[in-house]
């Protein structure tokens, strides 16, 4: 039986994404074009990349923020939130700009819609990433939000594609994946160790709505360890590269919950998956833990609601469904028995 090659086990997360502020409004439905409505409630919270960092840090993975942050009330709010999670900063505040923000409309069924205004977190100067102290054993997270911006995207993409091989590159293209220039996207896709996206994003990249086939096609375009296609309440499809170069595909189910707010579910999944790898779990074990964290996250209102390690351990102690191979019997996603955390 083929075995998967050793998985990189990071000891630190260097977050090369964007922490911004979320202006969240809960609405019964999206307003019609040109219309208006009153929100049932609202809040101002730190979100964006902060959600991934907080999710990983709450699981015990050391995190440093390598992105930009501004001078002003939004920048102050981001720094306060990072400090509360024990996340270190690698840059001084930008004296000329404030941090960006988004407006998030959350509908009654938990679905959310965003409009984003970028700020100091967007780094467009040549060489802006060259001084980031990345070392062997680090995991570097890159977001599609950083790759899509016309000025800063090519700079971030070139830096990410050139990372040393002993650094784990994790990339999530995000909802703007179709707008990322191919010349920026493809080198990052080829270099990344783990590519994680939701079913819609996977369909845009692979031209198939079948998440299993999408994972297979995407895995053929990466040179790394695997691909994750998140499929919402059903869990995720996991493609793991074996030592033969072939991909083993597994369906990793998620616990059933009632969604209150889906904001931050994918972010929680990514942060907890990376923390799982750091804890030396198999990819399937890390994905199962990430699925459970995402499930817990959607039962809570707000963008940065990923559980702590103790909360997640308690939730998983109640048991969960096993992994299964795509279209087959109980899985051997890592070349052995069905993985558990």
């Amino acid at each position: 039986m083929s075995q998967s090659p050793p998985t990189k086990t990071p000891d630190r997360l260097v977050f090369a994404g964007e922490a911004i502020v979320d202006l969240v409004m809960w609405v019964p439905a999206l307003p019609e074009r040109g219309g208006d409505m009153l929100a049932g409630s609202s809040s101002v919270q730190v979100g964006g990349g902060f959600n991934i960092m907080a999710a990983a840090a709450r699981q015990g993975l050391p995190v440093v923020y390598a992105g930009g942050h501004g001078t002003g009330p939004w920048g102050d709010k981001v720094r306060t939130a990072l400090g509360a999670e024990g996340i270190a900063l690698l840059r001084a505040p930008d004296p000329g700009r404030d941090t960006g923000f988004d407006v998030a409309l959350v509908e009654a069924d938990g679905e959310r819609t965003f409009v984003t205004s970028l700020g100091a977190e967007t780094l467009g100067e040549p060489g802006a990433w060259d001084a980031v102290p990345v070392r062997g054993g680090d995991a570097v997270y890159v977001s599609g939000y950083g790759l899509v911006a016309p000025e800063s995207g090519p700079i971030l993409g070139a830096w990410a594609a050139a990372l040393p091989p002993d650094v784990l590159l994790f990339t999530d293209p995000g909802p703007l994946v179709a707008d990322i220039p191919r010349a920026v996207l493809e080198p990052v896709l080829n270099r990344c160790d783990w590519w994680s996206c939701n079913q819609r994003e996977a369909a845009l990249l692979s031209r198939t709505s079948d998440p299993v086939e999408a994972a297979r096609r995407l895995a053929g375009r990466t040179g790394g360890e695997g691909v994750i296609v998140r499929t919402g309440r059903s869990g995720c499809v996991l493609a793991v590269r074996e030592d033969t170069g072939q991909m083993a595909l597994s369906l990793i189910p998620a616990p059933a919950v009632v969604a209150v707010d889906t904001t931050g579910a994918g972010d929680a999944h990514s942060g907890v998956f990376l923390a799982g790898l750091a804890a030396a779990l198999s990819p399937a074990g890390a994905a199962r833990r990430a699925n459970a964290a995402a499930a817990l996250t959607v039962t809570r209102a707000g963008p940065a609601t990923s559980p702590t390690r103790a909360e997640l351990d308690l939730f998983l102690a109640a048991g969960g469904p096993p992994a299964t191979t795509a279209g087959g019997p109980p899985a051997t996603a890592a070349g052995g028995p069905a993985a558990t955390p």
Side-chain angles (χ1 to χ4, degrees), residues 1-6 193 215-227 239-249 333:
M1 181 180 291
S2 297
Q3 299 288 322
S4 299
D193 295 282
R216 191 192 312 276
R217 293 183 187 182
L218 287 172
R221 294 166 63 185
T222 72
E225 298 179 37
V227 168
V240 179
R241 192 175 306 280
E242 298 179 325
D243 55 10
T244 61
Q246 299 299 309
M247 302 303 294
L249 286 101

Side-chain angles (χ1 to χ4, degrees), residues 14-36:
V14 177
F15 190 82
E18 307 77 30
I20 62 176
V21 171
D22 290 329
L23 310 181
V24 185
M25 289 182 280
W26 283 267
V27 296
L30 295 182
E32 63 180 353
R33 186 182 183 198
D36 195 356

Side-chain angles (χ1 to χ4, degrees), residues 18-295:
E18 307 77 30
I20 62 176
V21 171
D22 290 329
L23 310 181
V24 185
M25 289 182 280
W26 283 267
V27 296
L30 295 182
E32 63 180 353
R33 186 182 183 198
D36 195 356
M37 68 170 52
L38 295 177
S41 59
S42 63
S43 67
V44 179
Q45 303 165 340
V46 176
F50 172 73
N51 300 340
I52 298 103
M53 290 186 278
R58 291 171 189 173
Q59 299 296 310
L61 179 60
V63 180
V64 293
Y65 178 46
H69 48 107
T71 302
W74 293 155
D76 291 344
K77 194 170 185 66
V78 166
R79 284 184 290 274
T80 298
L82 292 170
E85 300 287 347
I87 298 167
L89 296 165
L90 291 182
R91 300 179 189 270
D94 184 330
R97 294 186 294 171
D98 199 357
T99 292
F101 65 95
D102 67 64
V103 176
L105 300 179
V106 183
E107 297 176 73
D109 63 356
E111 188 57 83
R112 77 283 184 274
T113 303
F114 291 105
V115 178
T116 302
S117 175
L118 299 176
E121 71 285 349
T122 303
L123 302 168
E125 303 81 9
W129 293 96
D130 294 346
V132 174
V134 177
R135 65 195 187 205
D138 280 343
V140 171
Y141 181 105
V142 170
S143 163
Y145 285 106
L147 297 174
V148 74
E151 293 183 1
S152 60
I155 296 169
L156 174 61
W159 174 79
L163 286 169
D166 57 356
V167 171
L168 185 158
L169 176 60
F170 184 101
T171 307
D172 185 333
L176 300 179
V177 59
D179 298 323
I180 301 173
R182 187 179 181 88
V184 174
L185 181 69
E186 289 299 326
V188 177
L189 178 58
N190 183 257
R191 164 60 184 85
C192 73
D193 295 282
W194 286 98
W195 183 269
S196 179
C197 56
N198 65 26
Q199 192 167 344
R200 170 188 170 274
E201 295 151 6
L204 288 171
L205 283 170
S206 65
R207 299 184 180 181
T208 176
S209 59
D210 178 359
V212 175
E213 180 59 26
R216 191 192 312 276
R217 293 183 187 182
L218 287 172
R221 294 166 63 185
T222 72
E225 298 179 37
V227 168
I228 302 164
V229 176
R230 305 185 304 272
T231 54
R233 60 173 54 91
S234 63
C236 68
V237 176
L238 180 70
V240 179
R241 192 175 306 280
E242 298 179 325
D243 55 10
T244 61
Q246 299 299 309
M247 302 303 294
L249 286 101
S250 300
L251 308 176
I252 312 294
V257 296
V258 177
V260 172
D261 181 358
T262 62
T263 305
D267 296 336
H269 196 282
S270 296
V272 174
F273 180 81
L274 285 168
L277 295 184
L281 297 184
S282 69
R288 179 173 181 262
R289 194 169 175 88
N291 282 351

